[in-house]
Amino acid sequence: MSDADLARVREQVAQLPPRLRGRAAVAAGRGIAADAVIRTEAPRGVVSEGDLSGVPARWIVFAALQLLAAILAGASHLGGRGGRLDPEPAANLAVVATVAAVGLGALAVRLGPSMPMVLRAARRTPLLVALVLLPIGLVLGLVRLALGEASDDGAMIRAAVVQVLGVVALVVILRRTPGPAAARAGGALSDAECSALRRDDPTLAQRMKDAEIQALLALTALGQVDQQLAERESARIDERWGAGLVDEA
């Protein structure tokens, strides 16, 4: 395994939350190893934490639309230098944006395994933005309704109902969306995938084994894995990839 791959593994392990310990940390380390080695050769591309340079354009567009919908769902009644929208257009925009935010959030949960890691680990961000702004937009809309600014009360009431339902739906989606550590753990290779890789590409399998070892060493050095668990997991790596060098590597 190249020094660059090893450095990438160490860097990403160091970015894991310090509170992540034990088997959960080991699982996240395996996901980091797969992210650093296997998926660097996949068409969808993998990038370092926070780096979007290698992310396919379609994923950047998806993330931008999700964030835009989250903002508009609650900010349609806010003003700016050019003033603010009239109550009815603002209410209609809030309805469309709230529905879009919920739909895109649910879609992000389903598409999570195929997303680049940098976006997969940040799937909660648009949801949290929407959950902060939606109550603000709801209150502002009701204030404009109470002040008699709207000529169509039905549009304002409809927007308020949709926003309330949107908050409930987004909370449910947020609970089903893995956090960054869980997203990384979900990227780890299964035992069956390890076996298939050893058979089909021994050289790449050896790089994967080296990466998993490096992740385990880094976690142990950081104190997130104790020595006893590290020894068990080292034996587990040999069980997944074979003792010594992978055959024919």
Side-chain angles (χ1 to χ4, degrees):
M1 187 177 183
S2 69
D3 291 340
D5 286 340
L6 293 175
R8 188 184 304 117
V9 170
R10 290 193 297 268
E11 177 187 357
Q12 294 188 14
V13 167
Q15 292 171 353
L16 291 173
R19 66 179 181 277
L20 190 69
R21 295 180 176 275
R23 294 191 181 280
V26 171
R30 287 178 182 163
I32 287 172
D35 187 47
V37 178
I38 299 295
R39 298 183 181 92
T40 53
E41 302 181 1
R44 65 186 172 192
V46 168
V47 293
S48 299
E49 190 75 19
D51 178 17
L52 296 177
S53 60
V55 177
R58 66 181 183 278
W59 288 116
I60 295 178
V61 171
F62 178 85
L65 288 175
Q66 189 179 7
L67 184 59
L68 179 63
I71 294 172
L72 293 179
S76 62
H77 288 290
L78 295 177
R81 290 183 178 180
R84 57 178 177 175
L85 291 174
D86 290 335
E88 290 80 5
N92 292 333
L93 177 59
V95 169
V96 173
T98 300
V99 173
V102 171
L104 291 172
L107 185 59
V109 174
R110 292 183 59 87
L111 296 178
S114 61
M115 282 183 172
M117 178 57 72
V118 66
L119 296 183
R120 193 189 322 163
R123 281 179 294 168
R124 287 188 164 205
T125 300
L127 301 176
L128 293 173
V129 170
L131 286 172
V132 169
L133 293 179
L134 264 175
I136 296 174
L138 173 63
V139 171
L140 290 176
L142 292 177
V143 168
R144 299 183 81 177
L145 176 62
L147 293 177
E149 294 184 22
S151 58
D152 182 3
D153 292 352
M156 305 297 290
I157 295 173
R158 180 171 58 253
V161 171
V162 170
Q163 287 176 312
V164 170
L165 294 177
V167 168
V168 174
L170 289 170
V171 169
V172 173
I173 294 171
L174 181 66
R175 291 174 62 88
R176 295 183 178 180
T177 301
R184 288 202 173 279
L189 298 187
S190 67
D191 289 354
E193 289 173 319
C194 293
S195 178
L197 189 60
R198 289 177 61 192
R199 180 181 64 252
D200 298 336
D201 194 338
T203 301
L204 190 57
Q206 182 62 48
R207 291 176 59 200
M208 265 303 308
K209 181 180 180 180
D210 293 343
E212 288 195 1
I213 292 172
Q214 188 64 216
L216 182 59
L217 290 174
L219 288 167
T220 305
L222 291 169
Q224 292 175 258
V225 172
D226 60 41
Q227 192 60 42
Q228 186 176 10
L229 178 58
E231 292 175 0
R232 291 200 301 269
E233 290 302 326
S234 180
R236 178 78 175 114
I237 291 174
D238 285 340
E239 180 183 332
R240 283 161 60 85
W241 297 108
L245 293 175
V246 176
D247 296 340
E248 301 179 12

